[in-house]
Amino acid sequence: MLINKRTQAEAAFELIRAEIMAGSLLPGSKLNIGALEKRLEVSLGAIREALSRLNAEGLVISESHRGYRVTPVSSEDLLDLTRTRVEIESLCLSKAMQHGDVEWESRIVAASHRMERLETLPTEAEPRSTPAWNDAHGQFHEALVSACPSAWLLRMRKVLYQQSERYRRLSVPLGTDKRNVHDEHRRLMEAVLRGDEPAVFQELEQHFFATAQIILRSLPQ
């Protein structure tokens, strides 16, 4: 019975999280626990446990006597998040470049190849909105920092990545015809592989803020 309960809670957590990340559950929207229980066909306890975990991740917020809401988005939060992410990701990349070996380089190249191939496969949807590309994109950025020896830096980076990924996915339908994301990733990878820290930090900051600027134009000021 305990195993079943844990399995239900895990399933509910993954399903609700996926809907938040995909924008199906809109930022700021109220989460009806009873409705989620019926729709996902899991127990009330599983829903509560899932929401508690999502609250710890910062994807939902708990309001006293009012239940849960999807964490809102705002210009102020996005800018603060992006600036902090640039700082932490830069530290991770710097340490990764100091400690990286040929296996690390191979992981980066393989992750880049997968992401680029998925961009060229025929699909009805924008490639960067598909689950496969989203996963490949995450694996690429993770590969870049995978040689960083600091577990705490990597933990902080993961939290920031999850939060920024929600914003990034909101930017995909907003129109990026003047932006070449493929080339941004390629330049970042090449700078990392040749150990050019100034170029890495410049490419990283431009890459992160390019996404932020697209979203900022669509958010109420």
Side-chain angles (χ1 to χ4, degrees), residues 11-216:
F13 168 77
E14 294 294 343
L15 287 168
I16 298 170
R17 187 181 185 280
E19 291 184 354
I20 291 172
M21 297 299 291
S24 302
L25 290 172
L26 295 174
S29 61
K30 183 172 177 57
L31 296 169
N32 185 307
I33 293 178
L36 287 171
E37 177 190 8
K38 292 179 181 178
R39 181 164 65 84
L40 301 182
E41 298 181 338
V42 297
S43 69
L44 185 62
I47 295 295
R48 292 188 183 279
E49 183 176 335
L51 292 176
S52 178
R53 287 182 60 188
L54 290 164
N55 183 47
E57 286 198 0
L59 292 175
V60 306
I61 57 175
S62 174
E63 299 176 316
S64 180
H65 307 298
R66 298 179 65 182
Y68 290 90
R69 283 194 302 139
V70 178
T71 302
V73 297
S74 70
S75 301
E76 294 79 8
D77 179 65
L78 175 57
L79 285 171
D80 186 25
L81 172 63
T82 305
R83 293 188 190 106
T84 306
R85 190 181 174 209
V86 167
E87 292 184 14
I88 297 299
E89 195 96 7
S90 295
L91 282 172
C92 290
L93 281 169
S94 178
K95 291 183 179 297
M97 286 186 286
Q98 293 170 24
H99 294 86
D101 55 15
V102 67
E103 296 302 323
W104 167 68
E105 294 178 354
S106 298
R107 288 195 297 272
I108 294 171
V109 173
S112 173
H113 174 73
R114 178 174 176 238
M115 183 174 59
E116 291 180 359
R117 284 289 292 122
L118 287 169
E119 291 170 359
T120 63
L121 294 179
T123 174
E124 294 181 2
E126 155 66 44
R128 293 191 301 117
S129 68
T130 63
W133 192 90
N134 288 331
D135 178 67
H137 177 252
Q139 291 298 319
F140 170 73
H141 279 284
E142 189 172 328
L144 290 173
V145 300
S146 60
C148 172
S150 172
W152 276 108
L153 273 177
L154 291 175
R155 287 188 193 119
M156 287 187 284
R157 179 212 164 261
K158 183 177 180 180
V159 171
L160 294 168
Y161 178 82
Q162 290 173 340
Q163 291 295 325
S164 62
E165 182 68 358
R166 187 166 70 116
Y167 278 101
R168 185 194 67 78
R169 295 191 193 185
L170 290 173
S171 78
V172 173
L174 298 178
T176 57
D177 53 312
K178 295 183 180 179
R179 182 186 179 193
N180 192 323
V181 178
H182 172 93
D183 284 354
E184 290 177 26
H185 286 134
R186 172 63 63 170
R187 289 195 304 270
L188 177 59
M189 179 185 71
E190 291 175 349
V192 169
L193 292 178
R194 68 174 181 267
D196 188 346
E197 282 201 1
V200 167
F201 301 152
Q202 181 180 3
E203 294 294 343
L204 184 74
E205 184 171 9
Q206 290 177 349
H207 179 55
F208 287 175
F209 272 98
T211 298
Q213 289 303 320
I214 291 170
I215 302 168
L216 285 170

